[in-house]
Amino acid sequence: MEILDRFRLDGKVAIVPGGGGAIGSALAKMLSSAGACVAVVDRSAELVEETVRIICERGANALRVPGDMTAEADAERVIAQTIETFGHVDIIVNAIGGGAGKVLFDAQEYPRKEWDWIYELNVRATLLPTQAAVRAMIARGQGGRVINISSVRGLLGINAGYSAYVAAKGAINSLTRQWATEWAKHGITVNAISPTFVDTPQVAMLLGDPAFKASVVSRIPIGRVGQPEDLFGAVLFFASDASSFVTGQILGIDGGLTATQ
Ligand SMILES: NC(=O)c1ccc[n+]([C@@H]2O[C@H](COP(=O)([O-])OP(=O)(O)OC[C@H]3O[C@@H](n4cnc5c(N)ncnc54)[C@H](OP(=O)(O)O)[C@@H]3O)[C@@H](O)[C@H]2O)c1
């Protein structure tokens, strides 16, 4: 087999919770261009529609599956609908999360409501669709791929009120290793990418402050923040046969930021 063929996803079915968001939509389109049929999941039917429309306009296969991934019934349903349409599910790329910049509080005062919200958004919305997808992968017996989107904040503290987000992304890193350990016997690999700031609407307000952006960029050796496209290579690697002996890894996509710490 040619080496580049090992990165192709022809015949694979990928589901992307958060596929209507900035990073998820870019990743859904990338997975489709690598050959996968893609089920696009998001809370907003309009955002799902937009991603699916672009994929279908390119002549590829995509499925609209709106749903709230903090609700168990919705998580079950989106996996069931994906299997009904495409026959199986091979890859899940968890792209729901974030919220950090909206709820900044000193650690000793961090309020329960905002803490719970960040956990729902980052941990529960990753947990429920993954459990449903992996049950289907195990039942089929053909293995699979789970890819989580963590953040450098899962690894690094920051003196700026991010307790809940740091804890939630730390939980994603731990679950990545735990799931990798438990599901290897089923041929399912679990890996995560860990980006620094990616230029998306979710962080536009923070990066819109020139002093804040300059201080972020000054700490990144490559000298810029990320773009959604910067995540493509790692996600494709983890999604494809090319990574078949790689599991439980958390790959920094951070322009060298964590190398300096
Ligand atoms: N952007 C960055 O700088 C950056 C850096 C490191 C890591 N990350 C991580 O990358 C991931 C994606 O970030 P992003 O910037 O692409 O965020 P985004 O644009 O907000 O995308 C997330 C999408 O998930 C949807 N969503 C939220 N809760 C949901 C639920 N319960 N069920 C279904 N859909 C739900 C959101 O819809 P609503 O708008 O309705 O909430 C949104 O469309 C997150 O895990 C984030 O922590 C981002």
Side-chain angles (χ1 to χ4, degrees):
M1 183 190 265
E2 292 291 327
I3 179 62
L4 289 181
D5 292 345
R6 300 199 69 204
F7 289 84
R8 292 288 314 172
L9 301 178
D10 305 290
K12 303 287 185 192
V13 177
I15 182 158
V16 185
I23 290 174
S25 172
L27 292 176
K29 291 173 220 158
M30 180 278 290
L31 294 166
S32 158
S33 65
C37 294
V38 181
V40 179
V41 179
D42 212 285
R43 200 155 39 190
S44 150
E46 290 74 40
L47 289 178
V48 167
E49 176 60 37
E50 180 58 13
T51 305
V52 168
R53 184 185 62 74
I54 294 167
I55 293 175
C56 292
E57 270 176 14
R58 294 172 178 171
N61 259 336
L63 176 70
R64 300 163 182 78
V65 263
D68 175 358
M69 292 305 98
T70 60
E72 255 171 75
D74 274 18
E76 292 285 349
R77 175 182 53 77
V78 300
I79 301 301
Q81 280 181 280
T82 302
I83 292 169
E84 205 178 288
T85 304
F86 295 130
H88 51 99
V89 58
D90 303 288
I91 301 158
I92 179 166
V93 178
N94 286 303
I96 296 175
K102 293 185 187 154
V103 283
L104 300 176
F105 297 95
D106 288 342
Q108 70 279 14
E109 307 290 352
Y110 210 99
R112 171 76 186 274
K113 185 164 151 265
E114 285 75 7
W115 181 280
D116 289 348
W117 176 66
I118 287 284
Y119 254 71
E120 289 269 302
L121 176 61
N122 287 279
V123 182
R124 189 175 166 87
T126 294
L127 174 68
L128 297 185
T130 302
Q131 287 180 313
V134 167
R135 283 196 291 268
M137 289 173 190
I138 291 173
R140 182 168 178 246
Q142 303 277 313
R145 296 280 187 269
V146 177
I147 299 144
N148 296 325
I149 305 188
S150 183
S151 158
V152 291
R153 294 295 146 225
L155 199 63
L156 303 176
I158 179 170
N159 188 16
Y162 277 75
S163 299
Y165 186 69
V166 164
K169 291 304 193 187
I172 292 298
N173 290 353
S174 294
L175 280 173
T176 299
R177 289 186 282 261
Q178 179 62 23
W179 289 343
T181 309
E182 283 197 38
W183 295 337
K185 60 181 169 291
H186 301 292
I188 298 167
T189 67
V190 186
N191 293 287
I193 58 167
S194 177
T196 184
F197 277 101
V198 181
D199 192 7
T200 58
Q202 208 183 101
V203 295
M205 227 171 73
L206 287 171
L207 294 179
D209 172 353
F212 180 83
K213 184 168 180 183
S215 99
V216 167
V217 168
S218 72
R219 283 180 280 120
I220 299 175
I222 286 183
R224 64 174 178 83
V225 296
Q227 296 296 327
E229 300 74 40
D230 289 316
L231 313 181
F232 288 1
V235 172
L236 180 58
F237 173 63
F238 287 143
S240 68
D241 286 347
S243 64
S244 53
F245 198 51
V246 180
T247 196
Q249 301 305 303
I250 296 147
L251 180 59
I253 303 187
D254 59 13
L257 172 66
T258 47
T260 69
Q261 306 295 304

